[in-house]
Amino acid sequence: MTVQANAGRPDSAAPPAPPAIELRGISKAFGPVQANKDISIRVARGSIHGIIGENGAGKSTLMSILYGFYRADSGEILIGGQPTAIPDSQAAIRAGIGMVFQHFKLVQNFTVLENVILGAEGGAMLRGAMTRARQSLLDLARDYELDVNPDAVVEDLSVGHQQRVEILKALYRQADILILDEPTGVLTPPEADQLFRILRGLKDQGKTVILITHKLREIMEITDTVSVMRRGEMVATVKTAETGPEQLAELMVGRKVLLRVEKRPATPGRPVLEVENLTLRDGQGVERLRGISLSIRAGEILGIAGVAGNGQSELLEVLGGYARASGSVRLNGQPLDLSGREDAATRRAQGIGHVPEDRQARGLIMDFSAWENAAFGYHNAPEFQKSNILMDNDAIRADTVSKMERYDVRPPIPTLAAKNFSGGNQQKIVVAREMDRNPDLLLIGQPTRGVDIGAIEFIHKQIVALRDAGKAVLLVSVELDEIMSLSDRIAVMFDGRIMGERDPATTDERDLGLLMAGVVQ
Amino acid sequence: MDFATLIQILDSTVRLATPLLFACLAGLFSERAGVFDIGLEGKMLAAAFLSGAVAAVTGNVWLGMFAGIGASLLMAAIHGLASITFRGNQLISGVAINFLAAGLTVLLGQNWFGLGGRTPALTSGGRFEPIILPFAEAMAPVPVLGPIYSELISGHSFPVYLAWAMVPATAWLLYRTRFGLRLRAVGENPAAVDTAGVSVTAIRYAAVAICGVLCGLAGAYLATGLAAGFGKDMTAGRGFIALAALIFAKWRPWYALGACLLFGFLEAVGNRFPNIDLGLIVLPAQFMQALPYILTVVILAGFVGKAIPPRAGGEPYVKER
């Protein structure tokens, strides 16, 4: 057993409690990519420790090493002062580590109880295990404010409740150290507040919480200590009380970053998009849009806030020409055909650019090269044709090179497959394609999902520039910060309806959060 | 149609449903664990051949049965290796097994016995004998109940009773035990099982092995129970019918029993009444023989309600990060 040296402390003094987790010199490479470089970190027992960094900074790799998904190439893990090998998840669970993944690892058609006991049944027969688990679930629910019906089927639960099931799973396995990976990405602000209350409760009971996030606000709100990662390295560990969002952002990116979007007041002109009473039923006959009415004027950004799945996607699909609906939509005064006869190509020809919410599924073909992706949807444009049959690929490539330069796509290699770009640069390819044609109306969904801070800043500037050029922008985002800082007007969607409109200057997160939860004021 | 004929048809239904039921439950284990298996047919065929061959040579039906299970397990191991360990395409692996079995059985059969791919006809010791249940003789004269007990329930061979017993056994294993919980979870969301510290690979291999054993029983019964020896392509698509029954049964054990009985019934009716005179037209024998296959096509085309397969079915499990 290695005894930790208490540097500089006299023997008579009680040794300090060993940290809950200590990592020493952890390194991990995937081929030529060094995901983690010589990482050392100490997480104090009974604290909430934030780990922050951009996408690809190595946070997830580090946590996967801690949870036994990967083995570090070198380095040492100490749990409660004891060197511990974690070759697999079973070992991590035994060491008292519980993990709440960003994408929940739940069996959708199992009950809460079945999900909780899975892998920790404590016997070959289920009956006894179920009875025991039911009781400890009730105890945990009481101790930590984690109310959830043990017999509910997981797929019927809200996202917030599903997350509680994940936390319960970890606590049922007697986790002392709880790792949460981007836990608030899918939550409404009230749900996030509730999660934070739960985390504080866990901390008060002596549990250690590690919170991985890219949201500076959350780090500031709930953590005691924060570690910043950049390009695989741990660049700083500071007390949260002694730092601020600007300093953390700078540490993350490695240069000064503007967190607020700088923009002039809007000067709205004529109405560009007028939507009245838009209604959409899905394949099962469920109403996804229930009489949406809204309008956007030239030189204006309308932000649509809401928890994912409340009709925002359907709204974008209808306007973008992917889905049929009833009601009326006018673009520059001209009615659009919503019966399905007009498709996405028609919409583009009519002057609507569309940056889809899911860029990997709808914005790009991941196996195709950047130059092909940069032309999709506009590939029939006359300047890309060599003759009636042949396309002018050289012209498309030249055009892509120019787009890559103007939209700062890195690396600027048109022949590279889309999947080989980072999330931010993939998004820049899509944004370049859709904005470069100067659309009268830009539909943009989740513009910065999975995009790092540096690229977020750039994309936000582009959106504001388009607005200042007198274009209309419909922005859909689940990130309230983004909606608040970009929008000239905010509409909140809940259950297929617009719950209300707000002026960003006079509203706040609480107000919007209530609307997002469907509370009518 | 008189009562005696009905009993005869039902009796024949039970026997004809037996290989389907084994194969259907075999598919249920495999697919509930997320490994699609269109190689049921090939596994049954290989088992039928080897059980027929071993039973013919040794004159012992039990040795034949175990040899059949062994052949089927070997095929299952190939499928497991291809689709679990090497994360290959499960459909292609299944197709390969079907081809392998179709070719290999005839080749080896001709080589060993020189009978054009058949195995020698089995005599009494090489076949499963009927088991007469207690009081069957005494009950026989009782009206209605007598024939039902003595002819329909009594007098089947060991694999028939085993197949019926497998239904509650499967339901119990699936819904009452830890293994069943993990097996179902692995077919729905293997990542949940993996992060709970349980090996996805081990559970999937176990499921595929159970599938192999049950297919082996199905094949052994075909060659040494239903028939008296192996004949070329004797499974005659039963593996695919079992797959259709599995979908029809929505991957549930008791429903599987019902679905297999329906297919067995159609086959029995086709055997008993080659031509059905409807007055205006006479349904030809070919049509009656084709009935189970027609129903298979109808079910596979999705005309019979919506069946939701296990969500992770057909996808090899790869750790996300």
Side-chain angles (χ1 to χ4, degrees):
Chain A
M1 198 184 88
T2 10
V3 177
Q4 223 178 298
N6 298 320
R9 273 184 175 264
D11 284 337
S12 56
I21 293 186
E22 181 174 359
L23 302 180
R24 289 184 189 162
I26 297 281
S27 291
K28 174 77 189 171
F30 297 101
V33 182
Q34 190 77 32
N36 284 163
K37 267 179 260 177
D38 192 26
I39 299 226
S40 296
I41 179 178
R42 292 162 147 244
V43 178
R45 183 169 298 283
S47 71
I48 300 183
H49 192 117
I51 294 185
I52 196 165
E54 295 192 283
N55 293 299
K59 299 171 295 197
S60 294
T61 305
L62 189 64
M63 291 308 121
S64 296
I65 289 171
L66 206 45
Y67 199 65
F69 268 21
Y70 294 144
R71 285 189 102 146
D73 299 336
S74 62
E76 203 181 5
I77 301 171
L78 289 88
I79 310 284
Q82 302 287 326
T84 309
I86 304 184
D88 53 32
S89 304
Q90 189 78 57
I93 294 168
R94 269 200 307 274
I97 299 174
M99 182 108 173
V100 176
F101 291 88
Q102 187 177 6
H103 303 289
F104 304 147
K105 310 289 182 193
L106 296 173
V107 181
Q108 289 290 314
N109 56 1
F110 277 19
T111 64
V112 170
L113 201 55
E114 286 174 320
N115 267 294
V116 167
I117 64 167
L118 180 66
E121 298 88 348
M125 294 297 125
L126 287 185
R127 193 190 300 252
M130 293 282 220
T131 320
R132 282 192 301 278
R134 186 181 298 274
Q135 189 50 49
S136 39
L137 218 57
L138 293 175
D139 294 344
L140 290 171
R142 194 190 53 231
D143 294 351
Y144 299 108
E145 259 194 275
L146 280 164
D147 286 329
V148 49
N149 174 10
D151 298 308
V153 175
V154 162
E155 61 196 342
D156 298 335
L157 295 177
S158 71
V159 177
H161 277 80
Q162 293 193 12
Q163 191 171 53
R164 287 187 198 178
V165 179
E166 283 284 19
I167 297 175
L168 282 169
K169 262 169 73 178
L171 295 176
Y172 183 72
R173 289 162 171 73
Q174 287 167 357
D176 275 325
I177 301 158
L178 202 61
I179 305 171
L180 295 103
D181 190 4
E182 302 281 0
T184 59
V186 287
L187 303 182
T188 60
E191 281 176 326
D193 287 345
Q194 201 154 19
L195 173 69
F196 288 169
R197 265 208 306 284
I198 293 168
L199 295 184
R200 286 197 192 97
L202 288 167
K203 176 185 150 183
D204 291 343
Q205 305 258 352
K207 307 272 185 195
T208 307
V209 177
I210 298 180
L211 181 72
I212 302 167
T213 183
H214 66 273
K215 293 184 185 169
L216 295 165
R217 195 170 49 81
E218 287 171 4
I219 289 285
M220 295 311 298
E221 187 177 332
I222 187 152
T223 62
D224 302 310
T225 316
V226 52
S227 297
V228 185
M229 290 189 73
R230 185 170 77 224
R231 279 188 230 112
E233 287 178 90
M234 194 63 82
V235 290
T237 296
V238 287
K239 290 247 178 295
T240 310
E242 293 165 8
T243 184
E246 285 76 16
Q247 192 201 352
L248 288 176
E250 195 179 331
L251 283 168
M252 273 164 74
V253 185
R255 62 178 166 83
K256 280 231 180 289
V257 181
L258 273 178
L259 289 180
R260 293 297 305 179
V261 181
E262 289 193 332
K263 59 176 183 156
R264 298 193 303 265
T267 50
R270 67 196 158 76
V272 173
L273 180 77
E274 293 157 285
V275 176
E276 268 165 46
N277 201 21
L278 195 65
T279 300
L280 178 148
R281 281 175 195 279
D282 68 9
Q284 272 92 46
V286 181
E287 278 198 329
R288 294 294 174 182
L289 297 177
R290 307 171 191 250
I292 298 278
S293 297
L294 54 85
S295 79
I296 311 177
R297 295 195 283 173
E300 184 183 49
I301 299 174
L302 174 68
I304 306 266
V307 181
N310 277 292
Q312 303 97 311
S313 308
E314 287 80 0
L315 180 62
L316 286 178
E317 283 169 13
V318 171
L319 296 176
Y322 301 125
R324 295 178 203 187
S326 61
S328 108
V329 175
R330 282 193 301 279
L331 182 71
N332 295 324
Q334 296 295 314
L336 300 183
D337 186 340
L338 305 176
S339 69
R341 270 190 292 277
E342 295 185 349
D343 58 12
T346 326
R347 292 281 181 273
R348 290 207 160 87
Q350 286 159 340
I352 299 182
H354 186 182
V355 179
E357 286 184 298
D358 187 343
R359 69 172 160 269
Q360 303 205 339
R362 293 200 150 165
L364 296 164
I365 301 180
M366 300 301 282
D367 287 322
F368 280 27
S369 56
W371 67 268
E372 288 166 310
N373 276 296
F376 282 140
Y378 303 100
H379 50 279
N380 288 330
E383 67 268 29
F384 293 157
Q385 314 304 318
K386 204 175 258 176
S387 68
N388 285 334
I389 301 166
L390 295 177
M391 295 185 71
D392 191 348
N393 289 346
D394 291 335
I396 300 179
R397 273 191 283 263
D399 177 66
T400 305
V401 170
S402 137
K403 277 183 187 149
M404 286 179 138
E405 192 188 314
R406 281 176 290 128
Y407 288 85
D408 190 32
V409 180
R410 278 176 279 183
I413 305 170
T415 49
L416 199 63
K419 65 181 174 195
N420 294 328
F421 288 88
S422 72
N425 285 300
Q426 288 172 4
Q427 186 72 324
K428 285 187 211 163
I429 294 175
V430 181
V431 166
R433 180 179 75 205
E434 301 299 334
M435 284 192 181
D436 216 40
R437 295 270 154 178
N438 252 323
D440 291 336
L441 170 67
L442 179 73
L443 310 171
I444 184 158
Q446 317 300 348
T448 54
R449 177 183 283 170
V451 170
D452 47 56
I453 287 196
I456 289 177
E457 189 188 11
F458 182 84
I459 290 170
H460 282 175
K461 271 186 192 159
Q462 296 297 318
I463 294 174
V464 172
L466 195 74
R467 174 199 82 157
D468 290 343
K471 308 296 183 184
V473 177
L474 179 70
L475 165 74
V476 170
S477 175
V478 293
E479 302 281 350
L480 262 190
D481 288 347
E482 180 164 56
I483 293 278
M484 301 263 283
S485 58
L486 279 179
S487 309
D488 299 313
R489 275 187 302 133
I490 300 173
V492 182
M493 277 185 82
F494 173 76
D495 198 22
R497 289 193 180 85
I498 303 257
M499 296 302 291
E501 271 195 24
R502 292 288 187 270
D503 178 348
T506 59
T507 187
D508 58 25
E509 293 203 352
R510 224 187 78 80
D511 182 30
L512 293 176
L514 285 172
L515 287 174
M516 283 163 70
V519 180
V520 188
Q521 286 135 318
Chain B
M1 187 164 57
D2 58 18
F3 185 64
T5 317
L6 182 67
I7 291 289
Q8 277 176 16
I9 291 178
L10 291 181
D11 180 53
S12 157
T13 298
V14 169
R15 280 182 289 114
L16 291 169
T18 295
L20 294 179
L21 191 52
F22 275 128
C24 189
L25 294 174
L28 191 147
F29 275 103
S30 183
E31 301 209 346
R32 269 295 180 109
V35 181
F36 280 168
D37 193 353
I38 59 166
L40 297 176
E41 175 86 2
K43 287 203 271 285
M44 275 167 79
L45 195 62
F49 168 72
L50 205 64
S51 64
V54 170
V57 171
T58 64
N60 186 328
V61 65
W62 298 101
L63 286 181
M65 186 183 86
F66 286 115
I69 291 174
S72 174
L73 269 176
L74 187 70
M75 296 273 178
I78 296 173
H79 188 55
L81 207 62
S83 55
I84 304 170
T85 304
F86 295 119
R87 302 188 189 119
N89 185 306
Q90 299 172 4
L91 292 183
I92 292 176
S93 163
V95 169
I97 282 169
N98 288 338
F99 279 129
L100 185 66
L104 206 58
T105 50
V106 175
L107 178 78
L108 291 178
Q110 174 64 20
N111 192 340
W112 292 352
F113 303 106
L115 295 171
R118 284 188 298 111
T119 61
L122 296 172
T123 48
S124 61
R127 290 194 66 193
F128 283 108
E129 299 296 335
I131 297 172
I132 309 295
L133 295 180
F135 312 118
E137 293 289 316
M139 283 279 286
V142 180
V144 186
L145 282 182
I148 289 182
Y149 183 72
S150 65
E151 287 182 39
L152 187 55
I153 299 179
S154 170
H156 294 292
S157 57
F158 165 74
V160 177
Y161 296 113
L162 181 63
W164 281 72
M166 279 312 296
V167 177
T170 302
W172 176 80
L173 196 61
L174 221 50
Y175 297 109
R176 296 291 167 88
T177 68
R178 171 175 66 191
F179 174 72
L181 183 79
R182 292 178 176 182
L183 184 131
R184 285 183 288 133
V186 143
E188 292 288 333
N189 186 0
V193 178
D194 193 19
T195 52
V198 178
S199 164
V200 173
T201 309
I203 292 181
R204 287 199 163 166
Y205 265 110
V208 167
I210 295 174
C211 171
V213 171
L214 291 175
C215 276
L217 287 166
Y221 178 69
L222 271 182
T224 62
L226 217 46
F230 172 82
K232 179 174 181 253
D233 288 335
M234 79 177 304
T235 46
R238 281 188 178 85
F240 296 104
I241 292 179
L243 270 185
L246 182 60
I247 293 168
F248 196 28
K250 297 184 163 55
W251 292 268
R252 293 172 192 201
W254 286 103
Y255 289 14
L257 176 63
C260 290
L261 284 176
L262 175 64
F263 279 105
F265 179 72
L266 290 178
E267 204 181 337
V269 170
N271 289 346
R272 183 70 176 72
F273 301 108
N275 303 302
I276 288 187
D277 191 347
L278 294 177
L280 289 176
I281 49 160
V282 177
L283 289 177
Q286 288 84 350
F287 178 79
M288 296 306 292
Q289 300 276 325
L291 265 183
Y293 302 94
I294 294 170
L295 183 65
T296 305
V297 170
V298 169
I299 290 172
L300 290 182
F303 288 114
V304 190
K306 197 177 166 196
I308 302 164
R311 258 166 261 205
E315 288 166 20
Y317 178 60
V318 184
K319 271 184 208 234
E320 260 175 54
R321 33 191 206 146

